[in-house]
Amino acid sequence: MKINGFIQKIQQHHYFPRYSCWIFTLLFLLFSLVYNYQEILFKPPQSLHLWRQCDCLSMTLNYYQDHNPFFEPSIHNLGKDDKGKTVSDFPVLYFSIAQLWNVFGYHEFIYRLVVLLFFFSGLFAVFKIFEEVLKDSVLAITGALYLFTSPTLVYYANNFLMDIPAFSLAMTGLYFFFKFSRSSANRHFYLFVSLYALAGLLKVSSLLSFIAIGGIFLAEVLNMQLDPGKKIFQHPLKQGLMLISVVIIQVIWYTYATFYNTQNNGGIFLIGTLPIWDMSLVQIKETLDAIYEHIRWDYFRDQTQFVFVFMFISLLLFYKRINKTILLLTILLSLGMLFYILLFFQALKDHDYYTINLFILVPVILLAFLMLVKDKFNTIYTSVIFRLVFIVFLIHNVDFARRRIEGRYRHDSWPNENYIE
């Protein structure tokens, strides 16, 4: 009887929004300590993709040392113009971090910390999506933190590349889309659009979820019934123009970036695609073999990825019981991911950071699956065992990520064997 009473208490106290944010923050800090962030934050660039890390740091250092104009970034590789002028990502973060250095002095840990704060804000946004949709703080905290167990995300979450800030802005933009879809408040719509506009400027691949939301907009324009009795976009002309403006902003920036590189040092950064159809069969096989190794060691535990595949298949099997908006979002994101893989297939052999913005699919699948279980299998959903399995599996994934990150920074491991302090 005492055990049953204890279980009932746990079941009745799974939603605690007044202090859940503090628990989430404490667990994020705890995970960071487990991953040895307290030391990594103070390390200079090293390990995998050292060259790309240094490119980002170089551009920032030139803003700091030479006080480059905002739209004239450069790196230390002087190139053909002997000035090093080149660009890829919209340089707002490089420029901003340089201004922080002007105040606090040159410290690389400031750069790493800024990127980490972006990642925390993105994960926090995912946590709030889960909590507000599910009304369940335990599963919201656990579900969001699953992203913090991917070795790829853990490695780049406090690194120098712009992929994590872009990904984080996209997660936050997705949060405000969910807020807008429920409230129809203009402030949520403007925040959603603005965040995605900035995310795309940092990395255009971060717009995968934005494009999927654009598909939802088109579905409503074509009078597809997603949410009975309510449309998300109640002012399609005005809101459609705002959505198009995000695309126009990207076109303007990347047109300027292409022109700037053509006039100065082109070919250092990629502004374009690396499609599968430009590869030979031998190259495709080599890349597939490399992707298989990434799946085993870099994205998540292989068992975790099987779980996500199971969740996705479950959504397709029980599609009639799923909220149509999130089902369409999941399907469009999945198609977008496949299209992205085809467009950048060549890069996936050696560049794991090209997959960072694909991870947006993970919380969407997880949320949709939990909504399905809550609706169709409520007895399982409300059970303590279900939550315990969820938590234990999370801890199992944390340990896997910890070991993988430790391997990337050890001086006797291949990713870091040539690095000298």
Side-chain angles (χ1 to χ4, degrees), residues 74-135:
S74 63
I75 60 175
H76 287 77
N77 179 358
L78 298 181
K80 64 183 181 182
D81 70 346
D82 204 32
K83 295 179 181 178
K85 290 187 174 183
T86 188
V87 73
S88 174
D89 321 318
F90 188 64
V92 61
L93 276 188
Y94 303 133
F95 183 83
S96 299
I97 293 168
Q99 307 319 304
L100 290 175
W101 286 347
N102 284 327
V103 176
F104 300 105
Y106 175 77
H107 301 287
E108 288 163 358
F109 85 86
I110 292 176
Y111 194 132
R112 286 186 182 269
L113 183 59
V114 167
V115 174
L116 182 59
L117 290 173
F118 267 94
F119 185 64
F120 170 74
S121 66
L123 279 194
F124 191 86
V126 170
F127 150 65
K128 293 306 292 182
I129 292 173
F130 276 59
E131 189 172 53
E132 292 179 16
V133 172
L134 298 172
K135 303 301 180 187

Side-chain angles (χ1 to χ4, degrees), residues 49 183 197 246 253:
H49 304 296
S183 69
V246 174
W253 166 249

Side-chain angles (χ1 to χ4, degrees), residues 321-340:
R321 301 296 296 268
I322 301 290
N323 175 280
K324 294 301 179 288
T325 299
I326 196 166
L327 178 63
L328 183 57
L329 180 65
T330 306
I331 292 172
L332 291 175
L333 261 178
S334 302
L335 293 174
M337 182 184 76
L338 292 174
F339 186 60
Y340 175 87

Side-chain angles (χ1 to χ4, degrees), residues 69-298:
F70 181 84
F71 287 105
E72 296 183 24
S74 63
I75 60 175
H76 287 77
N77 179 358
L78 298 181
K80 64 183 181 182
D81 70 346
D82 204 32
K83 295 179 181 178
K85 290 187 174 183
T86 188
V87 73
S88 174
D89 321 318
F90 188 64
V92 61
L93 276 188
Y94 303 133
F95 183 83
S96 299
I97 293 168
Q99 307 319 304
L100 290 175
W101 286 347
N102 284 327
V103 176
F104 300 105
Y106 175 77
H107 301 287
E108 288 163 358
F109 85 86
I110 292 176
Y111 194 132
R112 286 186 182 269
L113 183 59
V114 167
V115 174
L116 182 59
L117 290 173
F118 267 94
F119 185 64
F120 170 74
S121 66
L123 279 194
F124 191 86
V126 170
F127 150 65
K128 293 306 292 182
I129 292 173
F130 276 59
E131 189 172 53
E132 292 179 16
V133 172
L134 298 172
K135 303 301 180 187
D136 191 314
S137 300
V138 174
L139 292 179
I141 293 169
T142 312
L145 286 174
Y146 265 100
L147 280 174
F148 203 20
T149 67
S150 161
T152 297
L153 295 183
V154 173
Y155 178 67
Y156 291 106
N158 64 1
N159 215 290
F160 299 94
L161 280 63
M162 286 298 104
D163 301 78
I164 284 291
F167 176 58
S168 304
L169 288 167
M171 288 191 286
T172 311
L174 190 62
Y175 166 72
F176 282 107
F177 169 71
F178 271 90
K179 294 283 285 185
F180 167 70
S181 68
R182 290 168 161 249
S183 69
S184 299
N186 285 332
R187 67 181 184 279
H188 294 148
F189 179 79
Y190 294 140
L191 283 168
F192 142 65
V193 169
S194 300
L195 286 163
Y196 270 110
L198 183 54
L201 289 171
L202 296 183
K203 285 292 174 184
V204 72
S205 55
S206 66
L207 293 180
L208 275 175
S209 48
F210 177 81
I211 294 170
I213 291 169
I216 293 172
F217 172 80
L218 285 177
E220 286 198 344
V221 169
L222 297 173
N223 290 320
M224 283 183 61
Q225 196 72 24
L226 297 177
D227 189 356
K230 181 189 175 185
K231 282 194 172 185
I232 297 173
F233 300 96
Q234 298 177 16
H235 307 284
L237 180 59
K238 177 184 174 182
Q239 291 163 345
L241 290 173
M242 289 290 292
L243 296 177
I244 291 171
S245 72
V246 174
V247 178
I248 293 173
I249 289 170
Q250 311 307 312
V251 171
I252 291 172
W253 166 249
Y254 288 105
T255 300
Y256 171 77
T258 302
F259 171 78
Y260 185 78
N261 289 343
T262 302
Q263 296 299 307
N264 297 287
N265 288 314
I268 294 177
F269 297 119
L270 173 70
I271 301 180
T273 58
L274 295 167
I276 189 172
W277 47 84
D278 288 343
M279 303 172 70
S280 67
L281 290 177
V282 173
Q283 290 172 321
I284 291 172
K285 183 184 182 304
E286 289 176 351
T287 303
L288 286 172
D289 291 340
I291 290 172
Y292 174 70
E293 290 301 309
H294 286 309
I295 289 172
R296 289 184 62 200
W297 301 111
D298 296 326

